[in-house]
Amino acid sequence: MKENKLFQVGTLNSLMMGDYHGSVSVKDLLKEGNVGIGTYNGLDGEAIIFNGHAYNGRANGEVSEMKSSDTLPFSTVCHFDENVAENEVSFNSIEEFKKEMEQYLVSHNFFYMIKMEGKFNVRVRSCFKQEEPYEPLYKVACDQREFEYHDVEGYVIGVYCPNYVEGMNLPGWHIHFLSKDLSKGGHILKVSGENIKFKLNELNGWNVYLPHTEGFENWDLTEDLKEKTKAVEGSSKK
């Protein structure tokens, strides 16, 4: 059986509660996967791991490639199998994207990583780097910055997680954007596109790195943050 695992840094609940301390370096993360998403130390922007490079879509609207020594408190990556079949899809919203993807998911109980390429209309957001003492993400997200781009060529990178990982990760789809010229990027709030090419990897394993941070070691991470997470992940301020 061919093994293709999702590698995860940290847990979503610890990030939601304010543990933004980077625990894995970019260098070490890229050993575990060449495609994925996440965020950087101090909640500094949106991580887009694309073809073995770690990019950051920041709240000032700029994108930069991160250094190997930079760290991440939360991320999900995999070694993407490019040999899978390429398909094509069109959608006018995130809801339509999710509906279209249903036919490609063998089961909702597996993880998936997707790479999409084409011309998109997209609205993205990112948060500013935080200073200690860190506030919870649902408070920090109130100060997020949003950017809207039309007919821009680029890539959508996303991970699908099953419902049973609630609290550990975000059930359903979590998608980030990176423009082809590497100048625009962030967490996707709205997206549409026609004749978008994509490849989908079904992942049959899940490895989680648990950080040795003060917050992770001492906080009660069993709190139900479902509603607060939903508000943070999917809401636009406009």
Side-chain angles (χ1 to χ4, degrees), residues 1 11 20 24 72 82 90-91 101 143 195-196 215 237:
M1 179 183 296
T11 71
Y20 310 142
V24 171
L72 306 92
E82 297 287 355
S90 299
F91 47 89
M101 285 301 105
D143 192 34
N195 305 318
I196 302 299
K237 303 306 176 187

Side-chain angles (χ1 to χ4, degrees), residues 83-88 117 197-200:
N83 295 319
V84 299
E86 183 175 79
N87 293 286
E88 194 172 284
E117 181 176 356
K197 299 183 185 305
F198 75 92
K199 292 184 177 181
L200 184 71

Side-chain angles (χ1 to χ4, degrees), residues 76-225:
T76 47
V77 297
C78 76
H79 289 291
F80 200 86
D81 181 4
E82 297 287 355
N83 295 319
V84 299
E86 183 175 79
N87 293 286
E88 194 172 284
V89 67
S90 299
F91 47 89
N92 291 316
S93 65
I94 288 183
E95 289 70 30
E96 281 193 18
F97 157 76
K98 293 176 180 178
K99 184 177 180 180
E100 290 292 333
M101 285 301 105
E102 282 297 301
Q103 62 184 302
Y104 299 99
L105 303 185
V106 175
S107 167
H108 292 99
N109 291 330
F110 292 111
F111 295 85
Y112 299 86
M113 189 73 74
I114 194 168
K115 285 177 65 175
M116 312 187 84
E117 181 176 356
K119 187 175 288 188
F120 299 91
N121 298 306
V122 62
R123 187 172 190 84
V124 300
R125 63 98 162 139
S126 187
C127 294
F128 288 103
K129 185 176 182 180
Q130 302 300 299
E131 300 295 334
E132 297 187 68
Y134 296 138
E135 291 191 315
L137 184 53
Y138 63 87
K139 292 184 178 180
V140 171
C142 294
D143 192 34
Q144 68 188 24
R145 292 296 182 269
E146 300 182 13
F147 303 91
E148 192 161 319
Y149 308 112
H150 297 278
D151 296 322
V152 57
E153 291 189 359
Y155 314 98
V156 169
I157 303 298
V159 62
Y160 176 91
C161 295
N163 286 335
Y164 58 77
V165 305
E166 183 76 56
M168 290 289 292
N169 207 315
L170 180 72
W173 287 102
H174 184 169
I175 53 178
H176 287 190
F177 175 75
L178 179 67
S179 64
K180 193 171 184 178
D181 65 5
L182 308 181
S183 68
K184 307 172 183 68
H187 170 91
I188 293 177
L189 296 170
K190 299 178 181 179
V191 65
S192 63
E194 292 187 5
N195 305 318
I196 302 299
K197 299 183 185 305
F198 75 92
K199 292 184 177 181
L200 184 71
N201 275 195
E202 176 189 319
L203 306 174
N204 57 11
W206 181 34
N207 287 351
V208 182
Y209 176 80
L210 302 179
H212 286 283
T213 61
E214 184 177 349
F216 190 86
E217 291 175 355
N218 298 317
W219 290 344
D220 177 6
L221 300 178
T222 63
E223 182 180 348
D224 186 354
L225 300 174

